Amino acid sequence: MHENPATTSANSRSTEKDPLIERPTMRMPRLRDIRRDIGLEYCLNAVVGLIFGITGPIAVTMAVGLAGGLSDAQLSSWVFGIFLSAGLATLVMSLVYRRPLGFAWSIPGTVLLGPSLQHLSFGEVVGAFFVAGVLTLGLGMSGLVRRAMAAIPPPIVMAMVAAIFLRFGIDIVDAGRSTPAIVIPMIIAFIALTALPGLARFMPPVLGALLVGFVAVVVLGQLDLSSGGPILAHPVFTPPEFTWAAQLELVVPLTLTVLVVQNGQGEAVLRAAGHATPVNASAVTSGLMSVLNACFGAVSACLTGPTNALLTSSGDPRRQYSAAVFYSLLCFIAALFSPLVTRFMLGTPEAYILALGGMAMLGALRQAFVSAFSSKYTFGALVTFVVTIAEFDLFNIHAAFWGILIGCIASRFLEPGDYRAEAGADHT
């Protein structure tokens, strides 16, 4: 007999008497339960979730990796790691808690790496991946994740994200100006599908833009798949280098984007769909999978908002975990054939990748601006945005770190009423 996640007594916001790691409120499904609960509708949601992952987010990864000078082997290993960890985390968590808990990789974390790869070695970046994963794991096991998330006002964090994501929005314009024959049809397809939500249910706007752009690339003779290489994954290990410069520049922003931006977004999406989310357990899983990712030179893992929105977009909430299970199996296949995924993305023009990545980020960019400037802490958010977008990198530490630090200080001094109102609400 099923138990509806929407009506369970467990609440994602536990009290001090609750265990540090949330206990499952339903028994794990048996194989016969999964066979009974899965159906075409849930498989389709999982397929769309994977398509989202191998289009826009992979385009972002390719764009950052190419700009950072990573080799084809390193990029392929990165893709292998993020799909492997996404499949493992999603499968285990969705079965243990019997609800859709879709994991992926941190797109904001990937974007953060762009400037860092210009002056840090990849080994130093990988070292930061390891430390950020251990820190995320430690915070999750300590039960302090909610307290850590509450320490910095979400609008300030989202202002930092908005400043970083803005570059990818601008990339659409730059790519359209340099290669209009490819990018303009992509923009038209993206806008048309976005304006038709009924059609977008079966053809997501990013996927439509990808297909239209790919046709344009082929017609113009700009597709180059001549480079050989393996078909199956051949991951490589990049020895980590632990330097203070890399740790100070990347660890805090990476950890914040996982715990506050990504996991917080995923929790909100799942809660709106009627699923109580194990916040601390999700943080522990994110930390473990981030360490696994680092072994393959890949960015931090996280509970993802967009994928969970797709996994819960239709069907009975009591059966939606089956969509997450199918999604995890598809992730394993994508990991196994990661060189093909990488080769396809590298064989297309840079403008195609930049435009695709920018379109995939538009929704997140809009949400970041709305979250940062629509309610409280707006002055602190503005300071954070300005400092981050100005690329203020004192002592060679990334502007995202200084943006959050200076924004929090400014907000504390200039917006005390917002903090008092928040404290009053907590005591009501």
Side-chain angles (χ1 to χ4, degrees):
M1 182 175 180
H2 293 292
E3 181 180 355
N4 191 337
T7 58
T8 56
S9 58
N11 190 294
S12 62
R13 299 188 178 279
S14 60
T15 64
E16 293 182 359
K17 295 182 181 179
D18 290 333
L20 295 181
I21 304 300
E22 299 86 349
R23 297 191 183 99
T25 58
M26 294 173 282
R27 67 169 176 80
M28 284 182 59
R30 299 181 177 91
L31 184 58
R32 66 172 179 267
D33 297 325
I34 299 174
R35 285 201 301 263
R36 181 187 63 235
D37 291 336
I38 201 167
L40 180 60
E41 182 177 21
Y42 305 100
C43 291
L44 179 60
N45 289 345
V47 169
V48 174
L50 182 76
I51 288 173
F52 172 84
I54 63 176
T55 53
I58 287 295
V60 173
T61 301
M62 293 296 102
V64 170
L66 287 172
L70 301 189
S71 67
D72 291 3
Q74 289 171 324
L75 285 171
S76 176
S77 184
W78 186 330
V79 174
F80 170 81
I82 55 183
F83 278 117
L84 176 65
S85 67
L88 285 173
T90 301
L91 181 63
V92 172
M93 289 289 285
S94 298
L95 290 177
V96 168
Y97 288 94
R98 198 165 180 163
R99 65 197 64 195
L101 293 167
F103 284 76
W105 58 97
S106 174
I107 300 174
T110 303
V111 177
L112 277 169
L113 302 177
S116 300
L117 286 170
Q118 304 303 314
H119 61 267
L120 295 174
S121 71
F122 191 50
E124 289 178 294
V125 171
V126 170
F129 288 164
F130 275 105
V131 175
V134 171
L135 178 58
T136 302
L137 173 62
L139 288 171
M141 294 187 69
S142 72
L144 298 176
V145 173
R146 292 187 184 88
R147 196 176 303 171
M149 290 173 65
I152 300 173
I156 290 179
V157 178
M158 295 308 293
M160 177 267 287
V161 174
I164 294 171
F165 282 6
L166 185 61
R167 177 67 257 172
F168 282 80
I170 295 173
D171 281 344
I172 300 175
V173 179
D174 292 342
R177 187 165 47 201
S178 65
T179 318
I182 293 175
V183 177
I184 290 179
M186 294 174 67
I187 294 174
I188 293 172
F190 182 85
I191 293 175
L193 288 169
T194 303
L196 299 170
L199 183 58
R201 170 68 179 82
F202 302 98
M203 176 67 71
V206 173
L207 176 60
L210 178 146
L211 295 175
V212 170
F214 182 71
V215 170
V217 168
V218 172
V219 170
L220 294 173
Q222 296 193 32
L223 179 64
D224 180 16
L225 299 180
S226 58
S227 60
I231 295 177
L232 298 180
H234 186 70
V236 296
F237 177 75
T238 299
E241 300 175 34
F242 300 97
T243 62
W244 281 112
Q247 303 303 313
L248 291 173
E249 180 172 331
L250 290 174
V251 169
V252 170
L254 282 172
T255 304
L256 285 174
T257 54
V258 169
L259 293 179
V260 180
V261 179
Q262 302 270 234
N263 284 22
Q265 184 186 60
E267 179 193 359
V269 167
L270 289 168
R271 190 168 59 245
H275 299 281
T277 309
V279 178
N280 289 332
S282 296
V284 169
T285 304
S286 298
L288 286 172
M289 293 300 103
S290 295
V291 173
L292 175 64
N293 280 356
C295 294
F296 303 110
V299 75
S300 304
C302 62
L303 185 71
T304 170
T307 299
N308 280 304
L310 294 168
L311 294 177
T312 60
S313 59
S314 63
D316 185 346
R318 296 173 296 181
R319 299 173 60 187
Q320 287 173 343
Y321 78 90
S322 66
V325 171
F326 191 64
Y327 163 79
S328 68
L329 300 180
L330 295 176
C331 285
F332 292 142
I333 295 173
L336 182 62
F337 293 99
S338 58
L340 289 181
V341 177
T342 307
R343 200 175 306 150
F344 168 75
M345 299 306 296
L346 292 176
T348 55
E350 184 181 14
Y352 175 63
I353 295 177
L354 291 177
L356 192 62
M359 291 175 198
M361 300 298 291
L362 281 180
L365 175 60
R366 179 183 64 178
Q367 185 57 47
F369 274 110
V370 170
S371 301
F373 300 110
S374 62
S375 57
K376 301 175 182 177
Y377 311 106
T378 53
F379 192 87
L382 178 61
V383 171
T384 299
F385 179 82
V386 170
V387 172
T388 305
I389 205 168
E391 300 182 357
F392 178 72
D393 56 353
L394 185 65
F395 304 126
N396 209 27
I397 299 174
H398 197 278
F401 175 84
W402 295 113
I404 290 176
L405 177 62
I406 297 172
C408 283
I409 294 172
S411 181
R412 280 285 181 182
F413 278 101
L414 300 174
E415 300 173 307
D418 288 345
Y419 289 89
R420 285 195 298 268
E422 194 76 26
D426 290 341
H427 287 89
T428 344

